[in-house]
Amino acid sequence: MPLKHLGFTRSACHRDHAVLTPDTFVRAPLPGMKQATAILHASARMGAAFSEYTAELEAGGVLGPTAAQRFLFVLSGSVILEFGGEAHSLRADGYAFLPEGCAHAVTASEPSRVEVIEKPYVRLAGVSDPWPLAGDERAVAGRPLGGDDGLNVRTLLPADPAFDMAVNTMIYAPGATLPMVEIHVMEHGCLMLEGEGLFRLADQWYPVTAGDFTWMGPYCPQWFAGLGKARARYLIYKDWNRAG
């Protein structure tokens, strides 16, 4: 039985990391949204250099505009994304990237949930700007991480210096783990898509399951293990291709 009436939650917020669980989610509309609301997971107020939220849209609902670059990942339902004079239908596990200044519209075809990551673009001298794209995560070829067939990475954005962010899905077979405790300059936003696992963040240990969001700040020690009898899969963001 949930223990929320006893003041219990798995959620925790610290200076360099946070684990946010659905029992603590608060919904509010963001500017420009219509027939939609948002669960804002990460923002500058937390100390993050990016924003990430889950948009919950009614049929016909739309996202508001943004001055930042934007990554979309459809969690459920379907949306129509329009940019460059073309319309793309994105269903669950469909994704898209829109660079800064790319005029676009996102409209839900049915009740839908979309994960949204937004970040100001950091230009690099001599490097062209990134380009818009749309795809399906299920069609992306995975690769074993460090030669471990139990840990598969699907890279959703091009490995090109034009992109200053990376978004991947990582899939863990039961019992698979990261090969090391990582400490690095990149920060992460991580949404559990399915399964369950265990995070080590700084000197704390956190059980997580589908629907949980985790923020890892720069240089926060981090490690993950997939638990249970089914695979664990999460969507993970990091800043990339730039000096800290």
Side-chain angles (χ1 to χ4, degrees), residues 140-149 151-155 168-169 238:
V140 176
R143 58 177 176 80
L145 181 65
D148 183 353
D149 291 333
L151 178 48
N152 197 265
V153 180
R154 294 177 181 173
T155 302
N168 306 324
T169 55
K238 63 182 173 183

Side-chain angles (χ1 to χ4, degrees), residues 26-30 33-40 53-58 62-63 112 114:
V26 175
R27 292 161 171 82
L30 294 177
M33 278 187 162
K34 296 179 181 179
Q35 295 177 247
T37 191
I39 305 163
L40 187 54
Y53 57 93
T54 301
E56 298 178 333
L57 301 101
E58 303 173 20
V62 300
L63 290 184
S112 302
V114 181

